Amino acid sequence: MTEQREMGFAGFPALEEDSRGKQMEIISILAENNSGVMPRIAGLFGRRGYSINSITCSGTNIPGIARLTISIEGDKKLIDQVIHQVAKLVEVRNIERLDHENTVQREQLLVKVKADESTRSHIREVAEIFKAKIVDLAPESMTAALSGKPSNIDAFLEVLKHYEILEMCRSGVIALSRGSENVMKLPADRKIR
């Protein structure tokens, strides 16, 4: 007997919920690249009481169109409501909830760690295991850069907690669907003006 999963928004399998009834979602939005679009979209989430884990915005291969990738954790029903509200914005051309299993996700990390002669080689070994690059070396610190899946970034940071993290910066998730599935295929009723 095969296990059936509950279907979520736009026909994607619903994501597993954690013990608090919340789930992690990645939402991809195509919108006109106008000033103020990102704050308007983020504001819709904020007015519903959601804290966005990350939001990235960049140009696309279509002139005048930007891609926003939003990572958010919350109740499925309320996230669905916000997605429907975002879809109503005039500037929004397409919005998709990305299925984690069929998505390529990446994040960038820069992390500066306190390092002296006694810890430097250990930190370098950890960086090599995670395929991070040492991009700066000072007498009392090392800075590493890592690009990878969010879970790999989390694991790298967990190991580095054994050392003193002086500062860090994460880019936020960027994501694309695997294969030929394409958010860029704009629905006929949402053509670029």
Side-chain angles (χ1 to χ4, degrees):
M1 185 163 69
T2 61
E3 180 182 340
Q4 290 188 343
R5 291 177 69 186
E6 176 187 342
M7 297 308 282
F9 178 79
F12 289 117
L15 298 176
E16 298 296 323
E17 293 186 0
D18 68 13
S19 60
R20 299 166 304 197
K22 294 184 177 185
Q23 58 194 28
M24 183 63 68
E25 297 281 359
I26 296 180
I27 300 162
S28 182
I29 301 168
L30 295 179
E32 292 177 10
N33 197 2
N34 298 334
S35 135
V37 170
M38 189 169 81
R40 272 195 296 283
I41 290 171
L44 287 174
F45 287 91
R47 283 194 292 277
R48 295 278 184 180
Y50 281 105
S51 176
I52 293 173
N53 293 333
S54 72
I55 183 168
T56 59
C57 185
S58 66
T60 66
N61 56 316
I62 300 174
I65 295 294
R67 176 189 302 271
L68 287 85
T69 306
I70 299 174
S71 171
I72 189 166
E73 185 178 338
D75 173 79
K76 179 191 177 314
K77 185 178 178 181
L78 291 176
I79 291 175
D80 284 345
Q81 290 174 355
V82 175
I83 288 172
H84 290 292
Q85 292 298 311
V86 170
K88 291 178 185 179
L89 292 175
V90 173
E91 299 93 348
V92 172
R93 297 289 163 248
N94 199 359
I95 184 167
E96 298 284 333
R97 174 179 279 154
L98 298 178
D99 177 12
H100 288 266
E101 294 174 16
N102 295 313
T103 304
V104 177
Q105 301 175 30
R106 292 294 179 267
E107 228 182 318
Q108 294 273 61
L109 169 73
L110 286 174
V111 59
K112 185 185 295 183
V113 182
K114 184 175 182 179
D116 56 26
E117 289 182 22
S118 66
T119 58
R120 194 168 286 132
S121 64
H122 297 285
I123 295 169
R124 191 182 316 266
E125 287 174 18
V126 170
E128 286 177 14
I129 290 169
F130 283 91
K131 298 186 180 359
K133 293 183 180 182
I134 304 301
V135 294
D136 186 55
L137 182 61
E140 296 180 2
S141 69
M142 295 174 76
T143 302
L146 178 60
S147 175
K149 295 178 184 176
S151 59
N152 292 350
I153 303 275
D154 292 338
F156 182 55
L157 288 172
E158 188 62 34
V159 173
L160 289 181
K161 282 184 182 176
H162 298 289
Y163 306 94
E164 185 180 344
I165 295 175
L166 300 173
E167 59 181 329
M168 65 174 240
C169 181
R170 285 179 87 156
S171 66
V173 176
I174 56 171
L176 291 175
S177 299
R178 292 187 183 274
S180 61
E181 192 170 309
N182 188 346
V183 173
M184 299 301 287
K185 295 177 183 171
L186 300 174
D189 65 336
R190 296 305 278 269
K191 293 287 185 197
I192 303 168
R193 290 181 226 150

